[in-house]
Amino acid sequence: MQPTAQIARHPIHPMLVPVPIACFIGALLTDITYYFSAEMMWADFSVWLLLVGFIVGVLAAIAGLVDFLSNRLIRAQTPAWPHLIGNLTVLVLAFFNTLIHTRDAWTSVVPTGLVLSVLTVLILPITGWLGWSLVYRHGVGVAKIGVRR
């Protein structure tokens, strides 16, 4: 089950996914730091992390959606639909979190921004495990190389 969205036979979706994960976890950490320090710099870091995570997340979602829609065998895998729905939920939460973080510093983080960051990061391990399952248990995006005997 080779993905459709590829560059030089390398799937695009798994190349992009680590960036939003790191950004959303980083945004949670900077939100927590801002909560305890009230140092404006941490709120600014959160905004940038959320924005970059959201933009790259949308690009990863487009690549994943191309793979998902172009191959019925991928759609037939048990983890595929929850993985898709979970990641879309993460992007929706991140979008609203980005909008919330554009407000004045304290109101951008406490409490709504912090809650949205926590919810986003709590969903990531679930969707990550589902994506791992698609690759390592169901062979999505894995090149089959001939075995010598």
Side-chain angles (χ1 to χ4, degrees):
M1 286 182 279
Q2 286 298 317
T4 304
Q6 300 180 37
I7 295 176
R9 294 182 36 186
H10 295 282
I12 296 171
H13 178 71
M15 286 192 281
L16 295 175
V17 166
V19 175
I21 292 172
C23 287
F24 296 150
I25 292 171
L28 173 61
L29 295 175
T30 54
D31 281 351
I32 291 169
T33 305
Y34 177 76
Y35 177 78
F36 287 109
S37 71
E39 180 64 42
M40 184 65 182
M41 167 186 69
W42 296 108
D44 291 341
F45 288 163
S46 291
V47 172
W48 285 105
L49 286 165
L50 286 167
L51 187 61
V52 170
F54 178 73
I55 290 169
V56 178
V58 167
L59 295 174
I62 291 169
L65 197 58
V66 166
D67 295 340
F68 183 83
L69 295 175
S70 65
N71 191 333
R72 67 175 177 75
L73 296 174
I74 292 174
R75 288 190 305 274
Q77 302 305 315
T78 306
W81 282 96
H83 180 69
L84 172 79
I85 293 166
N87 284 326
L88 287 178
T89 303
V90 165
L91 283 179
V92 168
L93 288 171
F95 174 75
F96 286 112
N97 201 7
T98 304
L99 293 179
I100 295 294
H101 273 77
T102 61
R103 299 189 307 200
D104 186 38
W106 185 257
T107 59
S108 71
V109 177
V110 180
T112 310
L114 188 56
V115 169
L116 288 172
S117 291
V118 168
L119 289 174
T120 301
V121 171
L122 287 176
I123 295 171
L124 289 175
I126 298 164
T127 60
W129 180 80
L130 291 167
W132 175 90
S133 179
L134 283 168
V135 172
Y136 292 102
R137 288 192 179 155
H138 301 278
V140 174
V142 176
K144 303 290 183 191
I145 300 172
V147 178
R148 293 175 135 179
R149 292 184 183 212

